[in-house]
PDB file of all heavy atoms in Angstrom:
ATOM      1  N   ALA M   1      -3.126   5.308   7.971  1.00  0.00           N
ATOM      2  CA  ALA M   1      -3.420   4.486   9.143  1.00  0.00           C
ATOM      3  C   ALA M   1      -3.918   5.335  10.307  1.00  0.00           C
ATOM      4  O   ALA M   1      -4.890   4.975  10.990  1.00  0.00           O
ATOM      5  CB  ALA M   1      -2.184   3.702   9.559  1.00  0.00           C
ATOM      6  N   LEU M   2      -3.277   6.473  10.522  1.00  0.00           N
ATOM      7  CA  LEU M   2      -3.685   7.353  11.613  1.00  0.00           C
ATOM      8  C   LEU M   2      -5.094   7.897  11.369  1.00  0.00           C
ATOM      9  O   LEU M   2      -5.907   7.986  12.302  1.00  0.00           O
ATOM     10  CB  LEU M   2      -2.693   8.500  11.761  1.00  0.00           C
ATOM     11  CG  LEU M   2      -1.297   8.133  12.271  1.00  0.00           C
ATOM     12  CD1 LEU M   2      -0.374   9.346  12.207  1.00  0.00           C
ATOM     13  CD2 LEU M   2      -1.354   7.595  13.688  1.00  0.00           C
ATOM     14  N   THR M   3      -5.371   8.251  10.118  1.00  0.00           N
ATOM     15  CA  THR M   3      -6.686   8.802   9.792  1.00  0.00           C
ATOM     16  C   THR M   3      -7.777   7.757   9.981  1.00  0.00           C
ATOM     17  O   THR M   3      -8.833   8.031  10.580  1.00  0.00           O
ATOM     18  CB  THR M   3      -6.699   9.327   8.353  1.00  0.00           C
ATOM     19  OG1 THR M   3      -5.681  10.332   8.211  1.00  0.00           O
ATOM     20  CG2 THR M   3      -8.048   9.930   7.999  1.00  0.00           C
ATOM     21  N   LEU M   4      -7.536   6.544   9.495  1.00  0.00           N
ATOM     22  CA  LEU M   4      -8.522   5.479   9.650  1.00  0.00           C
ATOM     23  C   LEU M   4      -8.742   5.145  11.122  1.00  0.00           C
ATOM     24  O   LEU M   4      -9.878   4.916  11.554  1.00  0.00           O
ATOM     25  CB  LEU M   4      -8.066   4.232   8.895  1.00  0.00           C
ATOM     26  CG  LEU M   4      -8.131   4.315   7.365  1.00  0.00           C
ATOM     27  CD1 LEU M   4      -7.405   3.126   6.740  1.00  0.00           C
ATOM     28  CD2 LEU M   4      -9.575   4.359   6.891  1.00  0.00           C
ATOM     29  N   THR M   5      -7.671   5.129  11.887  1.00  0.00           N
ATOM     30  CA  THR M   5      -7.793   4.812  13.308  1.00  0.00           C
ATOM     31  C   THR M   5      -8.583   5.886  14.037  1.00  0.00           C
ATOM     32  O   THR M   5      -9.448   5.585  14.874  1.00  0.00           O
ATOM     33  CB  THR M   5      -6.401   4.643  13.939  1.00  0.00           C
ATOM     34  OG1 THR M   5      -5.709   3.584  13.267  1.00  0.00           O
ATOM     35  CG2 THR M   5      -6.498   4.310  15.414  1.00  0.00           C
ATOM     36  N   ALA M   6      -8.293   7.145  13.727  1.00  0.00           N
ATOM     37  CA  ALA M   6      -9.041   8.244  14.360  1.00  0.00           C
ATOM     38  C   ALA M   6     -10.517   8.169  14.018  1.00  0.00           C
ATOM     39  O   ALA M   6     -11.376   8.540  14.837  1.00  0.00           O
ATOM     40  CB  ALA M   6      -8.466   9.582  13.924  1.00  0.00           C
ATOM     41  N   ALA M   7     -10.831   7.672  12.822  1.00  0.00           N
ATOM     42  CA  ALA M   7     -12.222   7.531  12.390  1.00  0.00           C
ATOM     43  C   ALA M   7     -12.845   6.212  12.857  1.00  0.00           C
ATOM     44  O   ALA M   7     -13.992   5.919  12.509  1.00  0.00           O
ATOM     45  CB  ALA M   7     -12.305   7.634  10.869  1.00  0.00           C
ATOM     46  N   ARG M   8     -12.061   5.422  13.619  1.00  0.00           N
ATOM     47  CA  ARG M   8     -12.515   4.130  14.137  1.00  0.00           C
ATOM     48  C   ARG M   8     -12.883   3.177  13.018  1.00  0.00           C
ATOM     49  O   ARG M   8     -13.849   2.415  13.085  1.00  0.00           O
ATOM     50  CB  ARG M   8     -13.691   4.289  15.109  1.00  0.00           C
ATOM     51  CG  ARG M   8     -13.462   5.305  16.208  1.00  0.00           C
ATOM     52  CD  ARG M   8     -12.276   4.959  17.080  1.00  0.00           C
ATOM     53  NE  ARG M   8     -12.543   3.814  17.945  1.00  0.00           N
ATOM     54  CZ  ARG M   8     -11.612   3.278  18.770  1.00  0.00           C
ATOM     55  NH1 ARG M   8     -10.387   3.767  18.797  1.00  0.00           N
ATOM     56  NH2 ARG M   8     -11.927   2.264  19.539  1.00  0.00           N
ATOM     57  N   GLN M   9     -12.088   3.224  11.963  1.00  0.00           N
ATOM     58  CA  GLN M   9     -12.238   2.313  10.832  1.00  0.00           C
ATOM     59  C   GLN M   9     -10.999   1.432  10.752  1.00  0.00           C
ATOM     60  O   GLN M   9      -9.937   1.772  11.282  1.00  0.00           O
ATOM     61  CB  GLN M   9     -12.424   3.089   9.527  1.00  0.00           C
ATOM     62  CG  GLN M   9     -13.677   3.948   9.494  1.00  0.00           C
ATOM     63  CD  GLN M   9     -13.805   4.716   8.186  1.00  0.00           C
ATOM     64  OE1 GLN M   9     -13.141   4.426   7.211  1.00  0.00           O
ATOM     65  NE2 GLN M   9     -14.670   5.721   8.198  1.00  0.00           N
ATOM     66  N   TYR M  10     -11.143   0.284  10.085  1.00  0.00           N
ATOM     67  CA  TYR M  10     -10.023  -0.634   9.955  1.00  0.00           C
ATOM     68  C   TYR M  10      -9.890  -1.116   8.524  1.00  0.00           C
ATOM     69  O   TYR M  10     -10.882  -1.446   7.865  1.00  0.00           O
ATOM     70  CB  TYR M  10     -10.189  -1.854  10.870  1.00  0.00           C
ATOM     71  CG  TYR M  10      -9.065  -2.856  10.709  1.00  0.00           C
ATOM     72  CD1 TYR M  10      -7.818  -2.617  11.269  1.00  0.00           C
ATOM     73  CD2 TYR M  10      -9.254  -4.025   9.979  1.00  0.00           C
ATOM     74  CE1 TYR M  10      -6.777  -3.517  11.118  1.00  0.00           C
ATOM     75  CE2 TYR M  10      -8.213  -4.947   9.823  1.00  0.00           C
ATOM     76  CZ  TYR M  10      -6.966  -4.686  10.394  1.00  0.00           C
ATOM     77  OH  TYR M  10      -5.938  -5.574  10.238  1.00  0.00           O
ATOM     78  N   ARG M  11      -8.643  -1.153   8.066  1.00  0.00           N
ATOM     79  CA  ARG M  11      -8.307  -1.747   6.782  1.00  0.00           C
ATOM     80  C   ARG M  11      -6.956  -2.418   6.954  1.00  0.00           C
ATOM     81  O   ARG M  11      -6.041  -1.813   7.533  1.00  0.00           O
ATOM     82  CB  ARG M  11      -8.239  -0.673   5.682  1.00  0.00           C
ATOM     83  CG  ARG M  11      -8.097  -1.237   4.280  1.00  0.00           C
ATOM     84  CD  ARG M  11      -8.182  -0.136   3.246  1.00  0.00           C
ATOM     85  NE  ARG M  11      -8.008  -0.648   1.892  1.00  0.00           N
ATOM     86  CZ  ARG M  11      -7.898   0.096   0.817  1.00  0.00           C
ATOM     87  NH1 ARG M  11      -7.947   1.426   0.931  1.00  0.00           N
ATOM     88  NH2 ARG M  11      -7.757  -0.438  -0.375  1.00  0.00           N
ATOM     89  N   PRO M  12      -6.779  -3.644   6.518  1.00  0.00           N
ATOM     90  CA  PRO M  12      -5.493  -4.322   6.696  1.00  0.00           C
ATOM     91  C   PRO M  12      -4.329  -3.475   6.156  1.00  0.00           C
ATOM     92  O   PRO M  12      -4.442  -2.836   5.114  1.00  0.00           O
ATOM     93  CB  PRO M  12      -5.663  -5.625   5.898  1.00  0.00           C
ATOM     94  CG  PRO M  12      -7.131  -5.882   5.967  1.00  0.00           C
ATOM     95  CD  PRO M  12      -7.780  -4.533   5.885  1.00  0.00           C
ATOM     96  N   PHE M  13      -3.234  -3.510   6.902  1.00  0.00           N
ATOM     97  CA  PHE M  13      -2.096  -2.652   6.588  1.00  0.00           C
ATOM     98  C   PHE M  13      -1.562  -2.906   5.173  1.00  0.00           C
ATOM     99  O   PHE M  13      -1.125  -1.988   4.491  1.00  0.00           O
ATOM    100  CB  PHE M  13      -0.998  -2.899   7.626  1.00  0.00           C
ATOM    101  CG  PHE M  13      -0.099  -1.723   7.852  1.00  0.00           C
ATOM    102  CD1 PHE M  13      -0.600  -0.446   8.026  1.00  0.00           C
ATOM    103  CD2 PHE M  13       1.272  -1.909   7.929  1.00  0.00           C
ATOM    104  CE1 PHE M  13       0.239   0.638   8.266  1.00  0.00           C
ATOM    105  CE2 PHE M  13       2.125  -0.836   8.172  1.00  0.00           C
ATOM    106  CZ  PHE M  13       1.607   0.434   8.339  1.00  0.00           C
ATOM    107  N   GLY M  14      -1.611  -4.161   4.732  1.00  0.00           N
ATOM    108  CA  GLY M  14      -1.130  -4.475   3.393  1.00  0.00           C
ATOM    109  C   GLY M  14      -1.970  -3.812   2.309  1.00  0.00           C
ATOM    110  O   GLY M  14      -1.441  -3.374   1.284  1.00  0.00           O
ATOM    111  N   GLU M  15      -3.279  -3.745   2.533  1.00  0.00           N
ATOM    112  CA  GLU M  15      -4.150  -3.062   1.572  1.00  0.00           C
ATOM    113  C   GLU M  15      -3.841  -1.571   1.524  1.00  0.00           C
ATOM    114  O   GLU M  15      -3.836  -0.951   0.456  1.00  0.00           O
ATOM    115  CB  GLU M  15      -5.616  -3.283   1.934  1.00  0.00           C
ATOM    116  CG  GLU M  15      -6.085  -4.717   1.750  1.00  0.00           C
ATOM    117  CD  GLU M  15      -7.567  -4.866   2.051  1.00  0.00           C
ATOM    118  OE1 GLU M  15      -8.265  -3.824   2.165  1.00  0.00           O
ATOM    119  OE2 GLU M  15      -8.025  -6.011   2.176  1.00  0.00           O
ATOM    120  N   ILE M  16      -3.576  -0.995   2.696  1.00  0.00           N
ATOM    121  CA  ILE M  16      -3.195   0.415   2.745  1.00  0.00           C
ATOM    122  C   ILE M  16      -1.885   0.613   1.986  1.00  0.00           C
ATOM    123  O   ILE M  16      -1.732   1.564   1.215  1.00  0.00           O
ATOM    124  CB  ILE M  16      -3.038   0.884   4.204  1.00  0.00           C
ATOM    125  CG1 ILE M  16      -4.377   0.797   4.934  1.00  0.00           C
ATOM    126  CG2 ILE M  16      -2.500   2.310   4.261  1.00  0.00           C
ATOM    127  CD1 ILE M  16      -4.279   1.088   6.422  1.00  0.00           C
ATOM    128  N   GLY M  17      -0.957  -0.301   2.180  1.00  0.00           N
ATOM    129  CA  GLY M  17       0.325  -0.201   1.492  1.00  0.00           C
ATOM    130  C   GLY M  17       0.188  -0.237  -0.011  1.00  0.00           C
ATOM    131  O   GLY M  17       0.852   0.518  -0.727  1.00  0.00           O
ATOM    132  N   GLY M  18      -0.675  -1.113  -0.519  1.00  0.00           N
ATOM    133  CA  GLY M  18      -0.883  -1.191  -1.959  1.00  0.00           C
ATOM    134  C   GLY M  18      -1.503   0.069  -2.516  1.00  0.00           C
ATOM    135  O   GLY M  18      -1.095   0.566  -3.578  1.00  0.00           O
ATOM    136  N   ALA M  19      -2.488   0.610  -1.826  1.00  0.00           N
ATOM    137  CA  ALA M  19      -3.127   1.842  -2.273  1.00  0.00           C
ATOM    138  C   ALA M  19      -2.132   3.008  -2.267  1.00  0.00           C
ATOM    139  O   ALA M  19      -2.116   3.840  -3.186  1.00  0.00           O
ATOM    140  CB  ALA M  19      -4.326   2.152  -1.388  1.00  0.00           C
ATOM    141  N   CYS M  20      -1.311   3.068  -1.232  1.00  0.00           N
ATOM    142  CA  CYS M  20      -0.325   4.152  -1.138  1.00  0.00           C
ATOM    143  C   CYS M  20       0.783   3.990  -2.175  1.00  0.00           C
ATOM    144  O   CYS M  20       1.339   4.992  -2.651  1.00  0.00           O
ATOM    145  CB  CYS M  20       0.261   4.207   0.264  1.00  0.00           C
ATOM    146  SG  CYS M  20      -0.929   4.734   1.511  1.00  0.00           S
ATOM    147  N   LEU M  21       1.102   2.755  -2.527  1.00  0.00           N
ATOM    148  CA  LEU M  21       2.095   2.539  -3.584  1.00  0.00           C
ATOM    149  C   LEU M  21       1.610   3.145  -4.892  1.00  0.00           C
ATOM    150  O   LEU M  21       2.376   3.808  -5.607  1.00  0.00           O
ATOM    151  CB  LEU M  21       2.360   1.044  -3.759  1.00  0.00           C
ATOM    152  CG  LEU M  21       3.377   0.680  -4.842  1.00  0.00           C
ATOM    153  CD1 LEU M  21       4.753   1.227  -4.500  1.00  0.00           C
ATOM    154  CD2 LEU M  21       3.428  -0.839  -5.036  1.00  0.00           C
ATOM    155  N   GLU M  22       0.349   2.924  -5.213  1.00  0.00           N
ATOM    156  CA  GLU M  22      -0.210   3.492  -6.439  1.00  0.00           C
ATOM    157  C   GLU M  22      -0.175   5.014  -6.403  1.00  0.00           C
ATOM    158  O   GLU M  22       0.153   5.671  -7.404  1.00  0.00           O
ATOM    159  CB  GLU M  22      -1.635   2.990  -6.630  1.00  0.00           C
ATOM    160  CG  GLU M  22      -1.730   1.499  -6.922  1.00  0.00           C
ATOM    161  CD  GLU M  22      -3.172   1.027  -7.051  1.00  0.00           C
ATOM    162  OE1 GLU M  22      -4.089   1.813  -6.737  1.00  0.00           O
ATOM    163  OE2 GLU M  22      -3.368  -0.124  -7.469  1.00  0.00           O
ATOM    164  N   ALA M  23      -0.499   5.591  -5.245  1.00  0.00           N
ATOM    165  CA  ALA M  23      -0.512   7.046  -5.121  1.00  0.00           C
ATOM    166  C   ALA M  23       0.877   7.630  -5.290  1.00  0.00           C
ATOM    167  O   ALA M  23       1.077   8.618  -6.020  1.00  0.00           O
ATOM    168  CB  ALA M  23      -1.095   7.445  -3.763  1.00  0.00           C
ATOM    169  N   VAL M  24       1.861   7.040  -4.639  1.00  0.00           N
ATOM    170  CA  VAL M  24       3.229   7.566  -4.717  1.00  0.00           C
ATOM    171  C   VAL M  24       3.813   7.360  -6.104  1.00  0.00           C
ATOM    172  O   VAL M  24       4.463   8.256  -6.660  1.00  0.00           O
ATOM    173  CB  VAL M  24       4.109   6.901  -3.640  1.00  0.00           C
ATOM    174  CG1 VAL M  24       5.587   7.228  -3.865  1.00  0.00           C
ATOM    175  CG2 VAL M  24       3.679   7.365  -2.257  1.00  0.00           C
ATOM    176  N   ALA M  25       3.582   6.200  -6.684  1.00  0.00           N
ATOM    177  CA  ALA M  25       4.074   5.960  -8.045  1.00  0.00           C
ATOM    178  C   ALA M  25       3.462   6.959  -9.018  1.00  0.00           C
ATOM    179  O   ALA M  25       4.153   7.493  -9.904  1.00  0.00           O
ATOM    180  CB  ALA M  25       3.755   4.527  -8.472  1.00  0.00           C
ATOM    181  N   GLY M  26       2.170   7.229  -8.845  1.00  0.00           N
ATOM    182  CA  GLY M  26       1.510   8.197  -9.722  1.00  0.00           C
ATOM    183  C   GLY M  26       2.125   9.572  -9.631  1.00  0.00           C
ATOM    184  O   GLY M  26       2.232  10.282 -10.642  1.00  0.00           O
ATOM    185  N   ARG M  27       2.545   9.965  -8.431  1.00  0.00           N
ATOM    186  CA  ARG M  27       3.192  11.275  -8.268  1.00  0.00           C
ATOM    187  C   ARG M  27       4.481  11.361  -9.084  1.00  0.00           C
ATOM    188  O   ARG M  27       4.903  12.441  -9.488  1.00  0.00           O
ATOM    189  CB  ARG M  27       3.523  11.521  -6.798  1.00  0.00           C
ATOM    190  CG  ARG M  27       2.337  11.690  -5.878  1.00  0.00           C
ATOM    191  CD  ARG M  27       2.815  11.782  -4.439  1.00  0.00           C
ATOM    192  NE  ARG M  27       1.712  11.805  -3.485  1.00  0.00           N
ATOM    193  CZ  ARG M  27       1.879  11.732  -2.172  1.00  0.00           C
ATOM    194  NH1 ARG M  27       3.103  11.622  -1.665  1.00  0.00           N
ATOM    195  NH2 ARG M  27       0.834  11.763  -1.371  1.00  0.00           N
ATOM    196  N   HIS M  28       5.110  10.206  -9.287  1.00  0.00           N
ATOM    197  CA  HIS M  28       6.374  10.164 -10.014  1.00  0.00           C
ATOM    198  C   HIS M  28       6.187   9.718 -11.468  1.00  0.00           C
ATOM    199  O   HIS M  28       7.167   9.403 -12.156  1.00  0.00           O
ATOM    200  CB  HIS M  28       7.355   9.237  -9.300  1.00  0.00           C
ATOM    201  CG  HIS M  28       7.787   9.744  -7.954  1.00  0.00           C
ATOM    202  ND1 HIS M  28       8.856  10.593  -7.783  1.00  0.00           N
ATOM    203  CD2 HIS M  28       7.263   9.547  -6.717  1.00  0.00           C
ATOM    204  CE1 HIS M  28       8.991  10.890  -6.496  1.00  0.00           C
ATOM    205  NE2 HIS M  28       8.038  10.265  -5.830  1.00  0.00           N
ATOM    206  N   GLY M  29       4.941   9.690 -11.915  1.00  0.00           N
ATOM    207  CA  GLY M  29       4.668   9.353 -13.299  1.00  0.00           C
ATOM    208  C   GLY M  29       4.813   7.890 -13.650  1.00  0.00           C
ATOM    209  O   GLY M  29       5.020   7.533 -14.813  1.00  0.00           O
ATOM    210  N   ALA M  30       4.700   7.011 -12.649  1.00  0.00           N
ATOM    211  CA  ALA M  30       4.843   5.580 -12.885  1.00  0.00           C
ATOM    212  C   ALA M  30       3.524   4.860 -12.641  1.00  0.00           C
ATOM    213  O   ALA M  30       2.694   5.310 -11.857  1.00  0.00           O
ATOM    214  CB  ALA M  30       5.928   4.999 -11.976  1.00  0.00           C
ATOM    215  N   ASP M  31       3.339   3.750 -13.335  1.00  0.00           N
ATOM    216  CA  ASP M  31       2.174   2.896 -13.141  1.00  0.00           C
ATOM    217  C   ASP M  31       2.580   1.669 -12.325  1.00  0.00           C
ATOM    218  O   ASP M  31       3.696   1.166 -12.454  1.00  0.00           O
ATOM    219  CB  ASP M  31       1.599   2.448 -14.480  1.00  0.00           C
ATOM    220  CG  ASP M  31       1.017   3.611 -15.278  1.00  0.00           C
ATOM    221  OD1 ASP M  31       0.407   4.493 -14.657  1.00  0.00           O
ATOM    222  OD2 ASP M  31       1.204   3.630 -16.516  1.00  0.00           O
ATOM    223  N   VAL M  32       1.667   1.194 -11.501  1.00  0.00           N
ATOM    224  CA  VAL M  32       1.926   0.032 -10.651  1.00  0.00           C
ATOM    225  C   VAL M  32       1.215  -1.182 -11.227  1.00  0.00           C
ATOM    226  O   VAL M  32       0.014  -1.138 -11.511  1.00  0.00           O
ATOM    227  CB  VAL M  32       1.441   0.291  -9.210  1.00  0.00           C
ATOM    228  CG1 VAL M  32       1.578  -0.963  -8.359  1.00  0.00           C
ATOM    229  CG2 VAL M  32       2.218   1.444  -8.587  1.00  0.00           C
ATOM    230  N   THR M  33       1.959  -2.259 -11.402  1.00  0.00           N
ATOM    231  CA  THR M  33       1.395  -3.512 -11.900  1.00  0.00           C
ATOM    232  C   THR M  33       1.180  -4.482 -10.739  1.00  0.00           C
ATOM    233  O   THR M  33       1.741  -4.293  -9.646  1.00  0.00           O
ATOM    234  CB  THR M  33       2.338  -4.172 -12.918  1.00  0.00           C
ATOM    235  OG1 THR M  33       3.526  -4.596 -12.224  1.00  0.00           O
ATOM    236  CG2 THR M  33       2.712  -3.180 -14.027  1.00  0.00           C
ATOM    237  N   PRO M  34       0.396  -5.540 -10.948  1.00  0.00           N
ATOM    238  CA  PRO M  34       0.269  -6.563  -9.902  1.00  0.00           C
ATOM    239  C   PRO M  34       1.623  -7.153  -9.511  1.00  0.00           C
ATOM    240  O   PRO M  34       1.838  -7.482  -8.334  1.00  0.00           O
ATOM    241  CB  PRO M  34      -0.632  -7.611 -10.554  1.00  0.00           C
ATOM    242  CG  PRO M  34      -1.478  -6.818 -11.509  1.00  0.00           C
ATOM    243  CD  PRO M  34      -0.543  -5.782 -12.068  1.00  0.00           C
ATOM    244  N   ASP M  35       2.540  -7.269 -10.473  1.00  0.00           N
ATOM    245  CA  ASP M  35       3.876  -7.777 -10.158  1.00  0.00           C
ATOM    246  C   ASP M  35       4.614  -6.832  -9.217  1.00  0.00           C
ATOM    247  O   ASP M  35       5.361  -7.277  -8.338  1.00  0.00           O
ATOM    248  CB  ASP M  35       4.689  -7.976 -11.431  1.00  0.00           C
ATOM    249  CG  ASP M  35       4.262  -9.208 -12.215  1.00  0.00           C
ATOM    250  OD1 ASP M  35       3.580 -10.080 -11.627  1.00  0.00           O
ATOM    251  OD2 ASP M  35       4.594  -9.291 -13.409  1.00  0.00           O
ATOM    252  N   ASP M  36       4.421  -5.534  -9.400  1.00  0.00           N
ATOM    253  CA  ASP M  36       5.056  -4.565  -8.503  1.00  0.00           C
ATOM    254  C   ASP M  36       4.552  -4.749  -7.079  1.00  0.00           C
ATOM    255  O   ASP M  36       5.333  -4.720  -6.123  1.00  0.00           O
ATOM    256  CB  ASP M  36       4.767  -3.130  -8.965  1.00  0.00           C
ATOM    257  CG  ASP M  36       5.434  -2.775 -10.277  1.00  0.00           C
ATOM    258  OD1 ASP M  36       6.545  -3.277 -10.535  1.00  0.00           O
ATOM    259  OD2 ASP M  36       4.847  -1.976 -11.038  1.00  0.00           O
ATOM    260  N   LYS M  37       3.248  -4.922  -6.934  1.00  0.00           N
ATOM    261  CA  LYS M  37       2.683  -5.108  -5.594  1.00  0.00           C
ATOM    262  C   LYS M  37       3.185  -6.400  -4.958  1.00  0.00           C
ATOM    263  O   LYS M  37       3.471  -6.442  -3.755  1.00  0.00           O
ATOM    264  CB  LYS M  37       1.157  -5.096  -5.653  1.00  0.00           C
ATOM    265  CG  LYS M  37       0.575  -3.722  -5.953  1.00  0.00           C
ATOM    266  CD  LYS M  37      -0.947  -3.728  -5.850  1.00  0.00           C
ATOM    267  CE  LYS M  37      -1.519  -2.332  -6.073  1.00  0.00           C
ATOM    268  NZ  LYS M  37      -2.995  -2.313  -5.953  1.00  0.00           N
ATOM    269  N   ARG M  38       3.326  -7.449  -5.769  1.00  0.00           N
ATOM    270  CA  ARG M  38       3.857  -8.704  -5.244  1.00  0.00           C
ATOM    271  C   ARG M  38       5.305  -8.535  -4.812  1.00  0.00           C
ATOM    272  O   ARG M  38       5.718  -9.042  -3.760  1.00  0.00           O
ATOM    273  CB  ARG M  38       3.737  -9.817  -6.291  1.00  0.00           C
ATOM    274  CG  ARG M  38       2.357 -10.445  -6.361  1.00  0.00           C
ATOM    275  CD  ARG M  38       2.366 -11.716  -7.171  1.00  0.00           C
ATOM    276  NE  ARG M  38       2.616 -11.453  -8.588  1.00  0.00           N
ATOM    277  CZ  ARG M  38       1.665 -11.196  -9.475  1.00  0.00           C
ATOM    278  NH1 ARG M  38       0.393 -11.161  -9.096  1.00  0.00           N
ATOM    279  NH2 ARG M  38       1.955 -10.980 -10.750  1.00  0.00           N
ATOM    280  N   GLU M  39       6.079  -7.809  -5.617  1.00  0.00           N
ATOM    281  CA  GLU M  39       7.490  -7.597  -5.273  1.00  0.00           C
ATOM    282  C   GLU M  39       7.616  -6.814  -3.973  1.00  0.00           C
ATOM    283  O   GLU M  39       8.468  -7.110  -3.132  1.00  0.00           O
ATOM    284  CB  GLU M  39       8.206  -6.859  -6.406  1.00  0.00           C
ATOM    285  CG  GLU M  39       9.702  -6.668  -6.143  1.00  0.00           C
ATOM    286  CD  GLU M  39      10.440  -5.995  -7.287  1.00  0.00           C
ATOM    287  OE1 GLU M  39       9.824  -5.803  -8.358  1.00  0.00           O
ATOM    288  OE2 GLU M  39      11.622  -5.652  -7.099  1.00  0.00           O
ATOM    289  N   LEU M  40       6.771  -5.807  -3.802  1.00  0.00           N
ATOM    290  CA  LEU M  40       6.802  -5.031  -2.563  1.00  0.00           C
ATOM    291  C   LEU M  40       6.433  -5.914  -1.372  1.00  0.00           C
ATOM    292  O   LEU M  40       7.089  -5.854  -0.314  1.00  0.00           O
ATOM    293  CB  LEU M  40       5.850  -3.845  -2.659  1.00  0.00           C
ATOM    294  CG  LEU M  40       5.714  -2.998  -1.392  1.00  0.00           C
ATOM    295  CD1 LEU M  40       7.059  -2.414  -0.972  1.00  0.00           C
ATOM    296  CD2 LEU M  40       4.685  -1.887  -1.606  1.00  0.00           C
ATOM    297  N   ALA M  41       5.390  -6.722  -1.523  1.00  0.00           N
ATOM    298  CA  ALA M  41       4.974  -7.606  -0.434  1.00  0.00           C
ATOM    299  C   ALA M  41       6.088  -8.585  -0.068  1.00  0.00           C
ATOM    300  O   ALA M  41       6.349  -8.839   1.122  1.00  0.00           O
ATOM    301  CB  ALA M  41       3.710  -8.360  -0.823  1.00  0.00           C
ATOM    302  N   GLU M  42       6.758  -9.124  -1.081  1.00  0.00           N
ATOM    303  CA  GLU M  42       7.866 -10.045  -0.818  1.00  0.00           C
ATOM    304  C   GLU M  42       9.017  -9.331  -0.130  1.00  0.00           C
ATOM    305  O   GLU M  42       9.655  -9.881   0.781  1.00  0.00           O
ATOM    306  CB  GLU M  42       8.334 -10.677  -2.128  1.00  0.00           C
ATOM    307  CG  GLU M  42       7.325 -11.655  -2.725  1.00  0.00           C
ATOM    308  CD  GLU M  42       7.688 -12.085  -4.135  1.00  0.00           C
ATOM    309  OE1 GLU M  42       8.742 -11.612  -4.645  1.00  0.00           O
ATOM    310  OE2 GLU M  42       6.939 -12.870  -4.733  1.00  0.00           O
ATOM    311  N   GLY M  43       9.271  -8.091  -0.540  1.00  0.00           N
ATOM    312  CA  GLY M  43      10.332  -7.317   0.092  1.00  0.00           C
ATOM    313  C   GLY M  43      10.032  -7.019   1.548  1.00  0.00           C
ATOM    314  O   GLY M  43      10.911  -7.103   2.415  1.00  0.00           O
ATOM    315  N   LEU M  44       8.781  -6.682   1.821  1.00  0.00           N
ATOM    316  CA  LEU M  44       8.383  -6.406   3.207  1.00  0.00           C
ATOM    317  C   LEU M  44       8.504  -7.662   4.076  1.00  0.00           C
ATOM    318  O   LEU M  44       8.832  -7.575   5.260  1.00  0.00           O
ATOM    319  CB  LEU M  44       6.943  -5.899   3.248  1.00  0.00           C
ATOM    320  CG  LEU M  44       6.735  -4.434   2.886  1.00  0.00           C
ATOM    321  CD1 LEU M  44       5.254  -4.138   2.686  1.00  0.00           C
ATOM    322  CD2 LEU M  44       7.304  -3.525   3.981  1.00  0.00           C
ATOM    323  N   GLY M  45       8.244  -8.804   3.475  1.00  0.00           N
ATOM    324  CA  GLY M  45       8.309 -10.050   4.231  1.00  0.00           C
ATOM    325  C   GLY M  45       9.711 -10.544   4.487  1.00  0.00           C
ATOM    326  O   GLY M  45       9.904 -11.473   5.276  1.00  0.00           O
ATOM    327  N   SER M  46      10.690  -9.933   3.837  1.00  0.00           N
ATOM    328  CA  SER M  46      12.073 -10.400   3.991  1.00  0.00           C
ATOM    329  C   SER M  46      13.030  -9.269   4.366  1.00  0.00           C
ATOM    330  O   SER M  46      14.204  -9.300   4.015  1.00  0.00           O
ATOM    331  CB  SER M  46      12.540 -11.082   2.697  1.00  0.00           C
ATOM    332  OG  SER M  46      12.417 -10.205   1.582  1.00  0.00           O
ATOM    333  N   LEU M  47      12.533  -8.283   5.091  1.00  0.00           N
ATOM    334  CA  LEU M  47      13.391  -7.179   5.520  1.00  0.00           C
ATOM    335  C   LEU M  47      14.456  -7.675   6.497  1.00  0.00           C
ATOM    336  O   LEU M  47      14.177  -8.521   7.353  1.00  0.00           O
ATOM    337  CB  LEU M  47      12.556  -6.105   6.223  1.00  0.00           C
ATOM    338  CG  LEU M  47      11.551  -5.328   5.371  1.00  0.00           C
ATOM    339  CD1 LEU M  47      10.685  -4.446   6.275  1.00  0.00           C
ATOM    340  CD2 LEU M  47      12.265  -4.470   4.331  1.00  0.00           C
TER     341      LEU M  47
END
C-alpha cells in the first residue's frame, strides 16, 4: 500500500490483501484457493 501510494497508483485494499495472501502462503509452502480468499474476506468483515 505504501509503495503504490508513493507511486500515485491505486488498487483496492482487498485486492492487495488477496495478492499478499498468495505471497505469504507461498513462502510457507501452501497454495491459496478461492475458498481461502473468501474465508479471509469474511474474517476481515467480522473482526
Side-chain angles (χ1 to χ4, degrees):
L2 291 173
T3 302
L4 288 169
T5 301
R8 309 300 288 177
Q9 298 179 15
Y10 177 76
R11 189 174 178 187
F13 208 46
E15 292 183 13
I16 296 173
C20 292
L21 180 64
E22 293 178 350
V24 169
R27 293 174 186 172
H28 293 273
D31 294 322
V32 174
T33 67
D35 285 343
D36 292 326
K37 289 186 177 181
R38 279 193 292 271
E39 183 177 352
L40 176 59
E42 290 170 0
L44 281 168
S46 57
L47 293 172

